[in-house]
Amino acid sequence: MITPVAVLMLILPAVGALLSVVLKRRARPAAVMTATITTGLAVWLTLSTFGAPYTRMLGDLPWLHGIVDTPILGIFVDPLASLMLLVVVPIGLLTVLYSTAYLTDKNREHPVGSEHYGRYYFWLLLFITSMVGMAVSPNFLQFFAFWELTTLCSWALISFHQNERSLRAGFKALLMTSAGSAFFLLAILIIFVRTNSFDFSALSKLPDGLRSWVFLFFLIAAWAKAAQVPLQTWLPDAMEAPTPISAYLHAAAMVKAGVYLMARTVSSGWGIPPKISLLMGGMALLTIFVALSFYFVQDDLKRLLAYSTIAHLGYVLLGIAIGGLGATLGFRGGVLHIICHGYSKATLFFCAGNIAYVTGTRNISELRGLGRSMPLTATAFFIGLLSVTGVPPFACFWSKFMILSGAMRLGGPIGPLILVLILSETLISFGWMLYVGQKIFLGAPLATAQVPSDIPWAMNVTLIILMIGCVAAPLVGMPLVQLMGK
Amino acid sequence: MVNAVHHVEVSIVILIVGSLVSLLFARRRKLCGWVSFAFVCASSVYTGLAVAGACTVASGEHSILSLPQLGSSLTLRIDPLSAIFLAIVAVIALLSTLYSVRYMEHYAHDKVAKFFPILLLCVASMTGVLVCTDFLFFLIFWESMTLTSYFLVTFESENAASQRAGLKYFIITHGATLCMAAAALLLWRTSGSFSFDAIRQTLSAMLTARPFLANAIIFLFFLGFATKAGLLPMGDWLPDAHPVAPSGMSATLSGALVKLGIYGLIRLFCSFLVVSPSLKIWGIILALAGTGSLFVGTLTALRQTDTKRLMAFHTIGQIGYICLGLGVGVYCLDMYPALATIALAGAILHAVNHACFKSCLFLGAGSVLYRTGERDMDKLGGLAAFMPYTTGTTTIASLSIAGVPPLNGFTSKWLIVAGCLLTGMRFPLFLVLGLIALFISLATLASFLKVLGSVFLGRADENLGIKEVPISMIVPQVVLAALCVLLGIFPQLVLRFVGHAIEGVTAMPVAGVNASRMWGGLFLIDGSPVAFWSPLAILTVLAVLALLSYAIQRAGGARTRSVPVWYCGEEHAAATVRYPASSFYLPFKHAFQGIYPSGKVHVPKFPAPLRRALDFDQWLYRPTVKVIDTAADRISRTHVGILQIYLLWIVIGAIVVTGILLWVRG
Amino acid sequence: MTVWLIKSLLLCLLNVAAALFLSPLCEGIMRKLRAAIHSRIGPPIWQPYWDLLKLLGKEDLRSTGGIVYASLPAFTLGSALLLAALIPMGTAAPLAFAGDMIVVIYVAAMSGVLLMLSGFASASPYASIGSSREMMMLLSVEPILAIALSVGAFKAKTLAVGGMVNWQVQNGPCISMAIAGVAFFLALQAVAGKLPFDIAEADQEIMGGPLVEQSGPRLALFRWAMWVKQLVLAFLLVEVFFPWPHLGSYLIDLIATIVKVLIVLVLVAVIDAVNPRLRIDQALGYYMRVAFSSLAALAFAVIGK
């Protein structure tokens, strides 16, 4: 039962993508339908494999006969994959739902005619497929295939508006993530050459010195994908994408692929050398602060959120690094942060979308007093920002707290050092975000912001669900992460 | 006695449900208020039952949720100390909600949907804070309380001042919460658990093993609680946040919410720490912090002309009194248990009393605001003629906060000052602190005489159409004023439970305070009885003597006649010659200028070179791409169109790849 | 119990009666003395009594209505008399069980507070200015009383006023108590509202300050309250700081106390007669210096002198 469901879950969005191309202007219902069913399947899959990881190999590559005897393509659902599925598929559905209302000619920022629907939903659904495929990959090869597919979709979606800036941004994203992918490929090749296998477990069969290199290559790939320092610059530019895409690709899903890769490699065998862990953690901290430093100069709301995303992916990597150093709690916190941050940041991006939809601008300086005309958006934005900045009782508090607890499990001065750094970052980013939130939503409305607000129901429903997610994400994630670890 | 805990759980659930239900009625202002009030009533009844069940002995524990990985579990428990504060929260929440039902009409532009539901959640989280025995969940309740109150402070969305105040409030208190989180995590590192019991054991073990770390942790906790309590300088948020909140919320903030900081401090210093000589230092720090707050806070209050801002500064001052009492108590715990109980009883009693009179004052200021739309005392005057109930309750509360005997503020101040003076006989620093406290008590009086004199007394020009506020707003004020009088005359009523709380927290008998007599009143014992205060006797004698004086006054049978005010023969409108609030005590205010420095916060400027260094695109990626581009251009020149040369490339490439593979495998 | 109750009630009555009926006499003596210094004949010693009697019968003109305003004079005099019941006046304090030095300090401020309230309530700007000044004087004077009394408390290790007197009697004079007594005496000048500190009333500039709108029996009660207060505080000064010679004979001691009180009041009157009025800021500065100097008493007490 599980295998057909998993395969169906993988195929369905792809089918939806093809349907979209066929149906063109009427692509929306098909897209919503397939995404909905996929979500149902993902939830079912999570429930049915809860506590019992499931592996099923389905096929192999004919030209590898004799070298690799076991099948290569297959399905692998463990708690980590389940958690990833619960991030990418439901938020994917919400993105599709939101897009149906957002990408119309009523949009004041970028009116989109119905002739573009086919193209848009094709790439979006294909992206969902690729994320699902990546999440359930049983080995590095399949992982890499879908990883590259996400890059491709990302390029297409960032450049969706096809103007000068978005084309540039899309190409930049493609270039930088591909540069990372090259290192991924290199790492896979090394593993394959040494062990004749693409399995995740093959990592631990490598000799120590080589394993360090392989991990380093994986890490570089992850940095590129997750927009970490020094490869972070593509993400803010990618904000040229339509807002739902930013919400999905650049907050919830694609950038999470990078950290998912690290979580995967670290948790399969726990053989990560300490110095690589230290490098990962150190760079994560550096990323967090570099991203923080860019907060204060952003006037574009989406770019601000993008920098925040960069910082929070740093948190995830920090948690994983702490896990790599021996404190499983930190690893769990990091992985929990994937889901918590996914929902919270998506909320914020969708709010930014609402604002752009209604006012036609994303510039913080041009916005004020929107709370009166958009109470729901205001509520969602505040919940999202409180969640993202780790204010209890919202989602990210739990994951941040677990990461910090994990850090405290480490010996020596590292724990308290991380504690001080993270808490100071938390306070500063919290203060700034709150300031921005107040500026946009509270105060007397500006003339430019006084617009009749008839936000389509689909956008509001999305926000309400995400608000619930901002509170409930740890409830879902906590049982899953409890199953992870040595 | 698990029952008591269950009552509290029911109460919290009622509040959360009530919050959602009142959201449904949000379109109708009054109905929403009454629905919320009904829910708060129900929850207060349950909280009251819980308090009744746990005010003498601690209830049993009840564990709801467990997170074994983090060593944490949501465990609830009520002991007499939390019972006292629960009672404060329940009473103040009930009265401010009742008050707000009509009061919120004042805000025509803002929907009550962002007031009542959030107020209920705020009360729920305050209740949660008080019954939690696990620090992780304590923090969660604590921060929920902060964030709900933040939304209540910024309620008036078009008022720039309230936005600024809210931002300041949330950022400062969030920083404080993070300090506490850091402290809890540092402790957890050793203990592996967040439960209060574990904190107690670990902290006491740590104080001997690693005193520096332990004291750092205590300092972080202190910072967290003191910020919420409003001790200066951390309490700088308070004078901004209180005035701009709707008055019902100001009353809750001042009456109940900042008290939780005090609750935390008492827990920390009396319960988490074992009695040891190192406590003395902390006692002195607390007492000095308290004295600093009461001195600066009250003298700054004297300068204010905004009613609610003035009261907010007095909150800082009165919290200073509580903290001073607490500090003296903590100082004495080790060596003079009897004196410790005196000061602690004073501190806790003052927390209760402050809840009564300060909430009453904020509600009174709210009533004035409701009817006149004005908080500026310079523009108000003579309201006594139009608003007799508000005037009466505010007068009682003002005299009470100023410590005029026999109102309730006096008893607790007497305990605190007596504790200071008696301890001062062993350690003279406290003598000075006690004298400062006495002096500041008078300054409080001066400040509130200014409020009474300029807002209520005197004469207004003509009838400006100002009426007394509706009955649902009068009732809470009257109840609070009545409590001020009642607790003033019969402090024994509360002191009994305060005694249980102190015994429960410090595990020491209350040896210093004897409150068993009714007519004889209270006396303090330090070896022998050394200090006396009998409110009932004093009140009786005062009443008799006043009657006697009245008899003398009427003895001549003089007739009374109403006359206009005499302006030396000239005719003036009352408002033009009114003595404005800003002119009160001018020479005195000049003497204490600049004791409350204020500054502006600027966004930190990021150094430009670093900004350029962080712009990787500029100096790394674009040049790299350019280099590659040029290189590719160069390489493309090898496309010469001659087959043999292409074949050569292929052969060379194959050799290189094979070489690499061989090298890697071998 | 009953005996104790009757005894304290009787003592209470005695103190109150003494304060009530002796205070105008003292005022009369002070007026006479001032006249003598001014080379005038002055009013007869009994004049304050006649003043009071006459005022009690005069018409009561009120600028403000309301029951609270009407009852303020009675409470003002009542609280002044309450102070009399709280301190020892030749004998032990009758209400010692009900109030210690902290209570005494607060009750001493009470009559002033009520006077100020009636000043604010009377709606006259002169009264408001006067009340504001009165409050400032209170702010600068009460700390001195508190410091002086706390020196006694520190010495006697008790907050009860009676305990301080006993300690003084048993241990004899000491430097700290002497300094504290002087400070107390300096403060008394302002508490009694005498020159150079009659700034709150300042008849010539603000026409009686808080009392400007008071007339008839109300004025009588306010005046009486002030005289009672000045007498009672003089008693407190003498009892706590200068209780010698304590011979053990009740009558002689009582006479000695009364003589000492008279001496104190005469001194007050002399200072009053020879000084011009200070400005309020000068007075504040003066008393701030006195307060800081009186801390020296505390310092002496701490080192055991």
Side-chain angles (χ1 to χ4, degrees):
Chain A
M1 187 64 190
I2 292 175
T3 310
V5 168
V7 172
L8 192 61
M9 180 177 72
L10 187 57
I11 290 174
L12 208 57
V15 172
L18 294 175
L19 269 178
S20 305
V21 175
V22 175
L23 294 173
K24 286 212 163 67
R25 283 162 199 275
R26 290 184 300 281
R28 290 189 293 188
V32 173
M33 197 72 93
T34 45
T36 313
I37 298 170
T38 312
T39 308
L41 295 178
V43 172
W44 186 84
L45 201 60
T46 306
L47 289 176
S48 57
T49 60
F50 184 79
Y54 176 85
T55 320
R56 183 71 171 274
M57 302 316 275
L58 297 169
D60 52 11
L61 300 173
W63 60 85
L64 284 176
H65 276 306
I67 305 173
V68 185
D69 298 327
T70 50
I72 289 174
L73 303 178
I75 301 289
F76 173 56
V77 187
D78 68 343
L80 185 59
S82 301
L83 187 117
M84 197 63 187
L85 282 179
L86 288 183
V87 180
V88 296
V89 182
I91 298 183
L93 166 65
L94 292 174
T95 308
V96 172
L97 185 66
Y98 187 88
S99 303
T100 58
Y102 181 84
L103 282 182
T104 54
D105 43 10
K106 292 202 192 75
N107 190 321
R108 303 225 333 196
E109 192 197 14
H110 280 294
V112 175
S114 54
E115 68 274 14
H116 300 294
Y117 288 173
R119 181 163 60 93
Y120 178 80
Y121 291 103
F122 170 75
W123 286 112
L124 182 54
L125 289 168
L126 192 61
F127 180 81
I128 296 179
T129 305
S130 55
M131 281 310 290
V132 169
M134 198 180 71
V136 298
S137 291
N139 58 34
F140 284 120
L141 190 65
Q142 192 178 334
F143 198 111
F144 180 74
F146 285 110
W147 169 285
E148 281 303 74
L149 193 54
T150 62
T151 309
L152 185 68
C153 296
S154 158
W155 164 75
L157 286 166
I158 293 171
S159 312
F160 174 73
H161 289 307
Q162 294 184 338
N163 52 27
E164 171 75 21
R165 286 166 63 103
S166 62
L167 286 173
R168 243 174 209 290
F171 186 62
K172 186 175 179 186
L174 183 72
L175 214 54
M176 291 183 80
T177 44
S178 299
S181 302
F183 284 94
F184 192 170
L185 192 59
L186 193 57
I188 294 179
L189 279 178
I190 293 174
I191 294 171
F192 180 67
V193 168
R194 291 301 295 248
T195 65
N196 273 347
S197 159
F198 293 112
D199 283 349
F200 295 133
S201 55
L203 257 177
S204 42
K205 294 178 196 151
L206 292 176
D208 278 347
L210 203 55
R211 196 164 67 223
S212 297
W213 284 105
V214 169
F215 265 109
L216 181 64
F217 293 153
F218 277 134
L219 190 55
I220 293 172
W223 282 343
K225 197 80 169 173
Q228 297 289 290
V229 169
L231 295 162
Q232 88 282 25
T233 57
W234 65 269
L235 189 61
D237 286 347
M239 292 300 122
E240 288 305 322
T243 306
I245 297 306
S246 306
Y248 188 42
L249 269 66
H250 307 130
M254 190 181 93
V255 288
K256 294 283 160 58
V259 293
Y260 179 61
L261 171 67
M262 285 326 285
R264 202 34 110 195
T265 50
V266 168
S267 67
S268 53
W270 299 96
I272 182 166
K275 53 179 188 283
I276 298 292
S277 288
L278 282 177
L279 176 70
M280 176 154 67
M283 285 304 276
L285 281 173
L286 182 67
T287 304
I288 290 170
F289 278 92
V290 167
L292 177 68
S293 77
F294 279 94
Y295 282 13
F296 306 105
V297 290
Q298 296 309 320
D299 191 40
D300 183 338
L301 183 56
K302 274 175 74 180
R303 281 180 82 93
L304 175 67
L305 294 180
Y307 278 110
S308 161
T309 303
I310 292 173
H312 281 274
L313 293 166
Y315 274 108
V316 179
L317 285 182
L318 178 67
I320 293 170
I322 290 168
L325 286 171
T328 319
L329 200 54
F331 178 81
R332 289 175 182 148
V335 173
L336 185 63
H337 203 62
I338 294 180
I339 184 165
C340 294
H341 173 256
Y343 280 89
S344 314
K345 190 51 71 62
T347 314
L348 287 178
F349 267 113
F350 283 130
C351 288
N354 274 10
I355 294 169
Y357 180 88
V358 171
T359 64
T361 180
R362 310 191 308 233
N363 291 344
I364 296 167
S365 55
E366 291 172 30
L367 299 167
R368 207 170 73 199
L370 287 178
R372 188 169 304 268
S373 51
M374 314 169 74
L376 184 76
T377 312
T379 315
F381 193 87
F382 273 106
I383 288 182
L385 89 82
L386 293 176
S387 174
V388 159
T389 48
V391 175
F394 296 110
C396 287
F397 165 75
W398 293 95
S399 44
K400 260 189 193 176
F401 197 80
M402 274 176 89
I403 295 172
L404 286 176
S405 310
M408 297 312 280
R409 279 269 185 258
L410 300 177
I414 302 177
L417 181 73
I418 292 178
L419 183 73
V420 170
L421 289 175
I422 292 301
L423 288 185
S424 48
E425 192 273 345
T426 302
L427 184 61
I428 299 170
S429 64
F430 164 79
W432 187 254
M433 286 296 212
L434 192 67
Y435 171 70
V436 168
Q438 275 203 348
K439 210 168 165 179
I440 296 176
F441 288 102
L442 305 180
L446 272 186
T448 53
Q450 270 172 338
V451 281
S453 61
D454 49 337
I455 297 170
W457 64 268
M459 288 160 76
N460 282 341
V461 167
T462 310
L463 283 185
I464 291 171
I465 296 172
L466 281 172
M467 270 193 267
I468 296 169
C470 283
V471 182
L475 297 180
V476 177
M478 204 67 99
L480 282 170
V481 296
Q482 306 252 336
L483 299 172
M484 297 172 200
K486 280 174 227 178
Chain B
M1 282 291 287
V2 178
N3 261 342
V5 176
H6 284 311
H7 288 313
V8 168
E9 286 162 12
V10 173
S11 157
I12 293 179
V13 169
I14 289 177
L15 286 169
I16 293 172
V17 172
S19 152
L20 296 175
V21 173
S22 68
L23 199 58
L24 295 180
F25 294 100
R27 281 181 193 283
R28 298 184 54 194
R29 218 163 254 272
K30 259 199 218 170
L31 185 64
C32 180
W34 286 117
V35 168
S36 316
F37 177 63
F39 276 98
V40 175
C41 258
S43 90
S44 290
V45 168
Y46 274 99
T47 312
L49 288 175
V51 169
C55 59
T56 50
V57 278
S59 71
E61 290 194 346
H62 182 228
S63 191
I64 296 173
L65 178 76
S66 174
L67 296 172
Q69 288 197 323
L70 284 166
S72 162
S73 68
L74 177 50
T75 307
L76 306 184
R77 179 168 177 270
I78 315 176
D79 64 358
L81 179 69
S82 40
I84 288 179
F85 283 89
L86 268 181
I88 297 179
V89 168
V91 171
I92 300 299
L94 186 68
L95 295 176
S96 2
T97 315
L98 175 59
Y99 181 87
S100 299
V101 172
R102 289 298 299 277
Y103 177 79
M104 294 315 287
E105 292 165 4
H106 179 65
Y107 302 98
H109 289 297
D110 293 282
K111 294 181 190 133
V112 287
K114 29 178 210 171
F115 184 78
F116 287 110
I118 301 181
L119 180 66
L120 263 57
L121 286 181
C122 184
V123 177
S125 30
M126 283 196 275
T127 313
V129 164
L130 287 170
V131 293
C132 222
T133 61
D134 181 277
F135 212 83
L136 176 58
F137 287 94
F138 180 89
L139 275 181
I140 288 168
F141 281 122
W142 182 266
E143 209 50 10
S144 318
M145 177 176 92
T146 310
L147 89 95
T148 45
S149 53
Y150 159 78
F151 285 111
L152 295 172
V153 167
T154 55
F155 173 77
E156 249 185 296
S157 62
E158 298 208 348
N159 180 352
S162 73
Q163 313 306 322
R164 265 200 311 277
L167 191 67
K168 191 172 174 185
Y169 166 51
F170 207 171
I171 292 177
I172 292 180
T173 48
H174 192 63
T177 308
L178 293 182
C179 286
M180 292 203 289
L185 278 168
L186 284 169
L187 273 177
W188 179 80
R189 198 178 193 203
T190 325
S191 69
S193 164
F194 285 110
S195 79
F196 282 2
D197 290 329
I199 288 181
R200 181 176 308 133
Q201 284 155 12
T202 320
L203 208 51
S204 17
M206 207 182 254
L207 263 175
T208 47
R210 304 175 68 186
F212 179 76
L213 182 63
N215 280 309
I217 289 172
I218 297 173
F219 178 70
L220 286 172
F221 275 129
F222 167 71
L223 217 56
F225 290 126
T227 307
K228 191 56 133 199
L231 277 187
L232 291 176
M234 294 84 79
D236 185 43
W237 61 270
L238 205 147
D240 291 329
H242 281 51
V244 295
S247 296
M249 186 53 202
S250 311
T252 314
L253 264 179
S254 218
L257 201 136
V258 297
K259 295 292 158 17
L260 301 195
I262 296 295
Y263 166 79
L265 286 175
I266 297 175
R267 271 257 178 269
L268 170 63
F269 286 105
C270 300
S271 157
F272 286 179
L273 298 175
V274 283
V275 174
S276 70
S278 64
L279 267 184
K280 285 169 88 169
I281 305 292
W282 279 107
I284 293 172
I285 292 174
L286 272 175
L288 284 176
T291 313
S293 281
L294 68 91
F295 188 78
V296 175
T298 309
L299 289 180
T300 313
L302 206 55
R303 309 170 56 83
Q304 306 304 319
T305 52
D306 175 329
T307 44
K308 284 172 82 177
R309 195 170 164 81
L310 179 143
M311 286 165 192
F313 272 109
H314 277 296
T315 298
I316 294 182
Q318 299 303 311
I319 291 291
Y321 272 101
I322 299 175
C323 198
L324 171 62
L326 186 59
V328 175
V330 170
Y331 176 84
C332 294
L333 270 178
D334 186 28
M335 291 159 68
Y336 322 112
L339 295 184
T341 52
I342 294 174
L344 285 179
I348 300 176
L349 186 64
H350 202 59
V352 176
N353 290 342
H354 180 252
C356 298
F357 52 67
K358 188 48 70 63
S359 301
C360 185
L361 285 170
F362 268 116
L363 296 187
S367 296
V368 172
L369 185 62
Y370 178 76
R371 279 300 185 216
T372 64
E374 199 58 72
R375 294 200 315 240
D376 188 349
M377 287 191 271
D378 282 342
K379 295 180 185 153
L380 292 165
L383 292 180
F386 314 119
M387 307 174 75
Y389 287 102
T390 306
T391 309
T393 54
T394 309
T395 309
I396 291 174
S398 296
L399 295 181
S400 187
I401 191 176
V404 172
L407 294 169
N408 68 348
F410 178 76
T411 308
S412 40
K413 279 189 185 174
W414 173 76
L415 279 167
I416 293 169
V417 171
C420 278
L421 295 183
L422 291 173
T423 313
M425 290 165 195
R426 276 99 173 166
F427 187 65
L429 172 69
F430 289 112
L431 203 58
V432 178
L433 299 188
L435 288 170
I436 292 176
L438 261 179
F439 167 63
I440 289 304
S441 174
L442 268 178
T444 313
L445 180 66
S447 171
F448 278 98
L449 277 183
K450 178 172 87 171
V451 175
L452 292 176
S454 58
V455 176
F456 295 105
L457 303 180
R459 181 168 292 178
D461 265 348
E462 65 272 343
N463 197 338
L464 299 168
I466 299 167
K467 288 184 302 193
E468 181 57 275
V469 289
I471 180 112
S472 71
M473 288 168 72
I474 295 177
V475 168
Q477 299 182 53
V478 170
V479 169
L480 286 169
L483 275 176
C484 286
V485 177
L486 186 72
L487 299 186
I489 302 172
F490 303 107
Q492 294 92 337
L493 293 179
V494 183
L495 272 175
R496 211 181 115 215
F497 301 114
V498 171
H500 285 302
I502 294 173
E503 277 167 13
V505 169
T506 62
M508 281 180 192
V510 181
V513 187
N514 186 320
S516 57
R517 303 176 307 171
M518 186 53 77
W519 280 92
L522 318 175
F523 61 91
L524 306 182
I525 305 154
D526 179 24
S528 58
V530 288
F532 309 89
W533 163 235
S534 167
L536 201 55
I538 293 281
L539 183 69
T540 317
V541 174
L542 178 63
V544 169
L545 291 175
L547 271 178
L548 175 71
S549 310
Y550 192 70
I552 295 174
Q553 189 185 345
R554 303 304 310 153
R559 272 176 305 158
T560 35
R561 180 155 62 93
S562 275
V563 290
V565 180
W566 186 61
Y567 297 117
C568 300
E570 291 189 49
E571 287 205 349
H572 289 293
T576 54
V577 292
R578 188 188 289 150
Y579 194 60
S582 45
S583 309
F584 277 64
Y585 323 132
L586 267 181
F588 192 78
K589 286 191 274 193
H590 282 311
F592 288 101
Q593 223 158 21
I595 56 168
Y596 194 85
S598 60
K600 276 193 86 150
V601 182
H602 295 284
V603 177
K605 277 266 181 291
F606 208 75
L610 195 54
R611 161 93 33 244
R612 276 197 294 280
L614 287 178
D615 195 354
F616 292 106
D617 275 350
Q618 206 59 46
W619 59 265
L620 182 60
Y621 297 131
R622 286 216 190 97
T624 314
V625 169
K626 203 159 272 172
V627 166
I628 291 172
D629 202 30
T630 345
D633 257 359
R634 298 249 170 81
I635 289 169
S636 69
R637 283 181 214 150
T638 55
H639 278 279
V640 287
I642 301 166
L643 186 64
Q644 289 86 335
I645 293 187
Y646 289 147
L647 280 174
L648 186 63
W649 286 126
I650 291 170
V651 171
I652 292 173
I655 291 170
V656 169
V657 168
T658 323
I660 290 173
L661 279 179
L662 282 175
W663 178 69
V664 171
R665 294 202 80 178
Chain C
M1 180 69 196
T2 333
V3 177
W4 172 81
L5 191 67
I6 293 172
K7 202 179 147 200
S8 43
L9 274 181
L10 266 180
L11 269 177
C12 223
L13 209 62
L14 256 177
N15 268 18
V16 168
L20 200 56
F21 295 117
L22 283 183
S23 55
L25 179 66
C26 294
E27 180 66 16
I29 295 172
M30 287 163 88
R31 280 196 203 169
K32 192 77 185 168
L33 189 70
R34 184 166 47 189
I37 295 174
H38 289 171
S39 310
R40 296 185 275 119
I41 296 174
I45 283 179
W46 307 105
Q47 186 62 40
Y49 291 100
W50 313 137
D51 285 354
L52 288 179
L53 279 179
K54 192 165 186 185
L55 280 173
L56 284 176
K58 280 202 171 254
E59 196 181 21
D60 184 356
L61 304 177
R62 292 185 188 172
S63 61
T64 310
I67 186 165
V68 178
Y69 184 68
S71 65
L72 277 174
F75 275 102
T76 311
L77 183 57
S79 62
L81 293 176
L82 174 63
L83 187 61
L86 276 171
I87 63 160
M89 290 170 68
T91 59
L95 283 184
F97 74 95
D100 53 16
M101 67 162 259
I102 303 173
V103 181
V104 166
I105 291 170
Y106 275 88
V107 171
M110 229 166 116
S111 58
V113 174
L114 295 169
L115 175 65
M116 282 179 255
L117 269 181
S118 58
F120 287 126
S122 64
S124 163
Y126 300 105
S128 294
I129 294 172
S131 297
S132 164
R133 290 182 178 182
E134 172 84 27
M135 187 69 232
M136 280 185 277
M137 290 312 294
L138 204 62
L139 272 172
S140 45
V141 166
E142 291 277 330
I144 300 170
L145 301 188
I147 292 171
L149 284 177
S150 69
V151 172
F154 186 87
K155 281 284 179 191
K157 305 290 178 209
T158 173
L159 298 182
V161 179
M164 298 178 204
V165 179
N166 290 341
W167 186 88
Q168 275 282 72
V169 169
Q170 279 162 19
N171 290 282
C174 61
I175 299 174
S176 53
M177 285 304 269
I179 300 176
V182 171
F184 195 104
F185 171 75
L186 294 177
L188 190 61
Q189 193 78 17
V191 174
K194 298 292 179 198
L195 279 170
F197 302 111
D198 71 334
I199 303 162
E201 285 164 34
D203 291 301
Q204 294 87 339
E205 21 170 333
I206 52 174
M207 293 165 289
L211 299 176
V212 65
E213 285 292 337
Q214 311 298 343
S215 61
R218 296 172 61 84
L219 185 60
L221 258 61
F222 280 123
R223 285 238 180 281
W224 211 339
M226 287 167 70
W227 296 338
V228 166
K229 196 171 157 193
Q230 109 192 1
L231 178 69
V232 168
L233 285 178
F235 263 106
L236 184 62
L237 167 65
V238 166
E239 286 280 356
V240 173
F241 298 97
F242 307 104
W244 324 277
H246 193 82
L247 302 173
S249 159
Y250 183 73
L251 197 65
I252 299 174
D253 281 345
L254 186 64
I255 293 169
T257 306
I258 292 173
V259 168
K260 281 181 284 176
V261 166
L262 283 177
I263 295 173
V264 167
L265 291 177
V266 162
L267 279 176
V268 168
V270 170
I271 297 173
D272 172 65
V274 300
N275 272 299
R277 184 181 309 125
L278 290 178
R279 278 201 322 270
I280 182 77
D281 53 331
Q282 292 169 324
L284 289 182
Y286 171 75
Y287 276 117
M288 202 180 275
R289 283 193 289 276
V290 173
F292 278 111
S293 319
S294 63
L295 284 177
L298 214 51
F300 274 113
V302 168
I303 59 169
K305 295 282 177 163

